[in-house]
Amino acid sequence: MANLLKDVTLAKDRPKTLLTEKHLKFILSYGSNDDEYDYCTTEYLRMSGMYWVLTALGLMGKVEDVNKRQFLDFISACVDKESGGISASIGHDPHLLYTLSAVQIACILDAVSELPIESIVNYVKSLQQPDGSFAGDKWGEIDTRFSFCAVACLSLLGRLDAIDVPKATEFVMRCQNFDGAFGSQPNSESHAGLVYCCIGFLSIIGELSRVDADHLGWWLCERQLPSGGLNGRPEKLPDVCYSWWVLASLTVLGRSSWIDTSSLVGYILATQDVETGGFSDRPGDIPDPFHTLFGLAGLSLLQVPGLQRINPTYCMPQDVIDRLHLRPQVIS
């Protein structure tokens, strides 16, 4: 029978050390020219892009290299005066995803006081549905990603009391499948990115006892391929972003030792662009800020020297979470 396993082969001349200076240059230069094609075509996720860049800089200890005022003024310009939500870019509709990104940015910059906190809290609260789930925006899409965004956003603001947490928890648990993993809605396919969202949700509210860490841990560790990389679902290629989604979930569950961490480090390092800096999804592909953040975040969880610690629940520098006096639950 043919081997149907999908994977990539790592080249012998692949990068094997962390190219910190090149990544710093890549991150700082990204988006500096608003006439570039990439800048124009990614307007719909600009707020999240700013969070990726800022968090990556935080992991490299270089947050002070950005113009703090520029970030905060952009957030202010993206606040929807009617709903209180925050959009991806000026003139776009507000959405829970970008509202969380904006709150994360403000927390990293130690500028939460500049946010319209009550308006944001009311916006998040307005998106909770009768069954406990959360819509992403006024158009009504339901997804466990938004459950995580809601509790992460409110916990960062110290306002988890604004929503019905027990109902939200019951919805998340109804999205768990027979394999121990989670989907976007009840009876939806298990996916590692959604596992991270649901485990992150339970970590924030202190309800990790609701999951069987061994059962889910096995599903997660089976995401590792011979190349060392991790995928999001069975029979999919590895992608460096799952170095975060899978590894962070295993870390919160106290099961990170269940994968071959040294081979994962090797895979992540192999996705670096030795010319421009930055990380891509797979070796040889074009780097971008999204994969650069999650490549660095994965290496931080793996305690690769030269990087600041990252919090596995919030995907934010650990020193920021400490400053906010947050203690998300983890299994030791």
Side-chain angles (χ1 to χ4, degrees), residues 53-64:
V53 166
L54 192 60
T55 305
L57 290 173
L59 295 180
M60 292 186 282
K62 296 293 184 179
V63 169
E64 70 275 6

Side-chain angles (χ1 to χ4, degrees), residues 217-259:
W218 276 117
W219 187 89
L220 288 166
C221 73
E222 287 175 347
R223 305 279 59 77
Q224 189 164 38
L225 299 168
S227 64
L230 300 165
N231 64 18
R233 294 172 289 165
E235 297 302 324
K236 295 293 183 179
L237 286 169
D239 186 321
V240 98
C241 70
Y242 294 109
S243 303
W244 175 256
W245 311 121
V246 173
L247 184 59
S249 299
L250 285 169
T251 301
V252 171
L253 294 171
R255 303 296 188 275
S256 60
S257 63
W258 286 17
I259 61 170

Side-chain angles (χ1 to χ4, degrees), residues 10 21 45 71 73 101 109 114 142 195 205 229 243 294 307:
L10 303 184
E21 291 303 316
L45 45 70
F71 277 76
D73 287 347
S101 292
L109 296 175
E114 296 201 29
I142 303 298
V195 169
I205 67 168
S243 303
F294 292 120
L307 294 173

Side-chain angles (χ1 to χ4, degrees), residues 77-139:
C78 292
V79 174
D80 182 69
K81 306 304 182 185
E82 181 177 345
S83 69
I86 300 174
S87 62
S89 192
I90 299 169
H92 289 231
D93 287 341
H95 196 285
L96 196 47
L97 287 171
Y98 309 118
T99 300
L100 172 59
S101 292
V103 170
Q104 289 173 308
I105 291 167
C107 288
I108 293 171
L109 296 175
D110 197 12
V112 174
S113 61
E114 296 201 29
L115 294 174
I117 294 175
E118 286 304 318
S119 295
I120 292 172
V121 170
N122 289 333
Y123 176 69
V124 175
K125 181 179 180 179
S126 74
L127 294 173
Q128 187 167 28
Q129 308 301 301
D131 66 353
S133 65
F134 283 84
D137 59 13
K138 65 181 181 180
W139 305 112

